[in-house]
Amino acid sequence: MSRDGSLKAFKEAQDLIPGGVNSPVRAFSSVGGTPLFIKEGNGAYLTDVDGNKYIDYVQSWGPLLFGHRDESIEKAVIEAVKHGLSFGAPTQAESDLAKLVISMFDSIEKIRFVSSGTEAVMSAIRLARGYTNRDDIVKFTGCYHGHSDSLLVQAGSGAATFGNPSSPGVPADFTKHTLLAEYNNIESVKKCFADSKNIACVIIEPIAGNMGLVPADKEFLHELRKLCDENGTLLIFDEVMSGFRASVNGAESITGVKPDIVTLGKVIGGGMPVGAFGARREIMAKLSPEGPVYQAGTLSGNPVAMAAGYASLSKLKNNAKIISVLNERAERLMNGMQKEASLCGIPMQIDTRGSMFGFFFNEKPVKNFADACNSDAELFAKFHAGMINEGFYFACSLYETGFISTAITDEMIEDTIRASARVFKAITNG
Ligand SMILES: *Cc1c(COP(=O)(O)O)cnc(C)c1O
């Protein structure tokens, strides 16, 4: 399999764009490789510029629930384009998508659209602060909420503590209001509430997908809800990744825990740049121009993006059983790969939620970021490179979640398991 075209394109891009990519994880640096430059996608497949074909388990990092070039989404986009790309004035398409999302999420009575998950979360945090008149926020180590200043805070230790910025360029003053807790550890959250009486919100990925797939325990989420209620703190579910992937009706429908604010992205745009945040009326009423909390966007609610989102979500809503069908495939894939790994003496932890799947080369179950970090990164890099050579495109980092689209068939799953067996064997035979 030649990669000359990708290598050449990457070389040129590195001269023009920092690291050759417009989002760091795409660079393949954590698996020690170089990125494939993609020419096109179709259904379950990606084709790179050298003409190699891969079954795609990345799906643009989540958005493409129906695979590449889904007919109805493509048609909706082309139809919308014919009416103009953007107006900066309201369109019916925004209310149509709003109505659809509100019908799917119990906790959302009103919604605002933005252009990315980062923007959705950043705005939701501002809204929570404006609503509560408080400054501090609690986030969990290993959860990713986009790259805005106050959320770009990593784990120092597992202990709850005021955060340090994890990127140069973020003033410590900005992040001193960000308290860190450990995922699935309620004591660490209690410590945050003991340290601060000024907590506006707790933000969590209820089904974490950015430290690999690590769902929160139900019990933990229930206790989190209780703590927030006792302290007059808002609970934000960041479902930018899990929304419309883990279930049709949000993590709330799986866990029984009701958030105050939900943030959405990825699938909501069907492959176009869309993010959103929503809550009950009383909270959303604080948002400008109804209320004093400012938030805006030139391309927010873009009609072409709304059309893609509407086509995608209406298709999901009308075929809600898709999620369980995709989950069966995700489970078959994970169980099959785990079996092949164990035949080679490789310990593998697996999990799925709807169309999301995750695995760690780890002897112990993974409950938080520290556990995830104890996984075998070298083995993952070998696995990733081996699967690419076999024609299977997995996320190029062990801290990412995999995605099944409706274009991926049972036969493709079986092919993937057989390929993984060859790769595991090659790895263990040195
Ligand atoms: C992807 C992601 C974001 C950021 O969304 P962008 O569209 O990349 O800005 C935020 N939160 C979660 C949970 C995500 O998975």
Side-chain angles (χ1 to χ4, degrees), residues 161-174:
T161 174
F162 282 89
N164 294 311
S166 65
S167 164
V170 180
D173 273 0
F174 286 17

Side-chain angles (χ1 to χ4, degrees), residues 36-215:
L36 301 174
F37 274 58
I38 304 303
K39 188 169 65 184
E40 64 181 0
N42 206 334
Y45 292 97
L46 282 178
T47 305
D48 68 17
V49 290
D50 293 293
N52 304 307
K53 245 173 124 177
Y54 309 87
I55 290 186
D56 182 13
Y57 288 107
V58 180
Q59 299 295 332
S60 188
W61 305 95
L64 308 180
L65 186 58
F66 298 99
H68 298 276
R69 296 200 60 193
D70 173 78
E71 217 178 294
S72 55
I73 299 173
E74 188 169 291
K75 211 170 132 213
V77 168
I78 290 169
E79 209 41 56
V81 165
K82 289 183 190 163
H83 294 277
L85 294 181
S86 179
F87 314 116
T91 61
Q92 181 63 37
E94 293 154 80
S95 295
D96 291 345
L97 185 56
K99 214 181 290 175
L100 193 53
V101 177
I102 289 167
S103 77
M104 294 162 100
F105 277 77
D106 276 355
S107 306
I108 301 182
E109 291 176 355
K110 276 194 172 182
I111 190 164
R112 177 156 286 173
F113 294 110
V114 293
S115 300
S116 71
T118 294
E119 221 189 324
V121 178
M122 181 185 84
S123 310
I125 297 279
R126 185 179 304 145
L127 178 61
R129 283 173 163 157
Y131 179 81
T132 56
N133 278 314
R134 296 177 182 179
D135 291 337
D136 292 344
I137 64 174
V138 174
K139 86 171 277 287
F140 295 89
T141 40
C143 283
Y144 178 67
H145 304 292
H147 65 91
S148 71
D149 284 342
S150 60
L151 290 162
L152 208 57
V153 181
Q154 262 182 355
S157 66
T161 174
F162 282 89
N164 294 311
S166 65
S167 164
V170 180
D173 273 0
F174 286 17
T175 54
K176 73 180 183 198
H177 292 295
T178 306
L179 287 77
L180 283 173
E182 189 178 60
Y183 204 71
N184 278 324
N185 176 353
I186 201 68
E187 291 308 317
S188 71
V189 186
K190 284 183 183 162
K191 186 168 181 310
C192 292
F193 279 106
D195 287 348
S196 169
K197 293 290 155 228
N198 194 27
I199 299 175
C201 61
V202 174
I203 182 162
I204 186 166
E205 288 179 75
I207 298 160
N210 288 290
M211 49 176 149
L213 178 62
V214 184

